[in-house]
Amino acid sequence: MDVRQRPSWRSGVGPVTGGVFAVLVLLMVAVGGVGSAAVVVPSLLAVAAVGVAVFAVRRGRLGRAAYEERLTEWAAAQAAQAERMRIARDLHDIVSHGLGLITVRAAAARYVTGADVAEALADIENASREATSELRHMLTVLRAADDDAVPRRPVEGLDQLPAIVRGAEVAGLRTELTVEPVGEVPPGVQVAVCKVVREALNNSARHAGPTDVRVRVHRDGDSVVVAVADSGPGGPRRSTPGAGHGLIGLRERVVGLGGAFSAEPVEAGFRVTARIPDGGAE
């Protein structure tokens, strides 16, 4: 079944039934009101009309039941597709962030000596362990038959933004974080803000290398706005295989929350901005 197109229901019972009744009426008129036929034929026509009506009702119910079955299958396919997309986004967040940091840090370690080598290897090891732990947890969730049996991890919140920013510094980014008072923010919005900051920092590390990055989170009316802007690389921005999928996933996540998302070059650098509505603040 094509999950992109909603099933439609068209019943041909109505036109057929109307045509049959029209024929019966014409026969009634043709017979007229004279003789024995005027008594017998109307009775036969009445019986035929009742039979046609019963057939139309039964046929309509069967068609409706078949349509509802197709609609249920379509809805299940839509839900499965949405779940696959969600899993793909989460896997991308884990793999791209972890491996991106490892790759950038390993590349930078080629040009250091002495104690800096040990520090670089320690950063690579920590990033590898964290990415492996996240992947194992996701596989555990996917394999579990009972969701209640899976230990839940704390939901990311705005208070974890400093740790996320510090984690990007091992890739050589020189970060500046500004979080202005935003009031009470729903957990779903906080998770989205953390996802935007993490992926934007990872994008800067992959494509710009060691550079200055400014992260700002503030409120604008009934929305929380997060902006991540880098100063750009010393040379042209690097392109890596699969580039852009993370930003596409971010756009889908933010738009799914009713927000707006943009990712665009700004002067020599690149800026990611997400405006996520949260229902307003007091």
Side-chain angles (χ1 to χ4, degrees):
M1 177 177 291
D2 188 356
V3 300
R4 296 169 297 180
Q5 184 176 1
R6 181 187 176 96
S8 60
W9 181 47
R10 297 185 181 88
S11 176
V13 175
V16 173
T17 304
V20 172
F21 275 114
V23 172
L24 293 178
V25 171
L26 290 176
L27 290 176
M28 179 75 73
V29 174
V31 169
V34 180
S36 59
V39 177
V40 176
V41 172
S43 299
L44 295 177
L45 293 179
V47 172
V50 171
V52 171
V54 172
F55 168 79
V57 171
R58 290 174 58 86
R59 186 76 175 183
R61 288 179 176 177
L62 291 175
R64 183 70 184 182
Y67 165 73
E68 291 179 352
E69 182 178 356
R70 295 196 306 272
L71 186 62
T72 301
E73 293 177 355
W74 175 83
Q78 287 286 95
Q81 178 69 12
E83 183 66 11
R84 284 194 294 269
M85 292 299 296
R86 184 191 67 80
I87 293 173
R89 285 196 297 265
D90 290 343
L91 282 175
H92 177 275
D93 290 343
I94 295 172
V95 175
S96 178
H97 178 68
L99 294 184
L101 291 180
I102 293 170
T103 302
V104 173
R105 192 66 173 111
R110 296 168 55 188
Y111 305 100
V112 299
T113 58
D116 291 337
V117 174
E119 181 181 356
L121 292 176
D123 292 338
I124 293 172
E125 180 182 3
N126 292 334
S128 301
R129 291 183 183 277
E130 182 178 354
T132 302
S133 177
E134 292 287 345
L135 286 173
R136 285 176 177 170
H137 178 74
M138 173 163 283
L139 290 176
T140 300
V141 173
L142 294 177
R143 291 171 178 169
D146 184 3
D147 289 340
D148 294 334
V150 181
R152 301 291 183 177
R153 291 200 168 198
V155 177
E156 286 187 320
L158 298 182
D159 57 343
Q160 293 177 273
L161 287 177
I164 294 175
V165 171
R166 285 196 303 270
E169 291 177 353
V170 303
L173 297 180
R174 299 177 293 275
T175 59
E176 177 185 341
L177 173 63
T178 302
V179 181
E180 301 178 4
V182 294
E184 294 293 330
V185 179
V189 175
Q190 296 192 43
V191 171
V193 170
C194 292
K195 296 288 188 184
V196 170
V197 171
R198 178 180 285 109
E199 180 58 35
L201 290 173
N202 192 31
N203 187 70
S204 295
R206 285 201 310 266
H207 303 299
T211 186
D212 296 319
V213 184
R214 298 173 302 281
V215 180
R216 183 189 178 204
V217 179
H218 67 282
R219 174 172 292 281
D220 184 11
D222 62 350
S223 299
V224 175
V225 180
V226 53
V228 181
D230 64 50
S231 299
R237 296 184 73 88
R238 300 191 297 268
S239 178
T240 59
H245 292 290
L247 297 181
I248 293 174
L250 283 185
R251 185 184 301 277
E252 293 174 350
R253 186 186 298 273
V254 172
V255 172
L257 293 173
F261 179 87
S262 65
E264 56 190 354
V266 178
E267 297 179 353
F270 196 81
R271 181 173 62 195
V272 173
T273 306
R275 178 182 295 270
I276 309 170
D278 71 340
E282 296 181 355

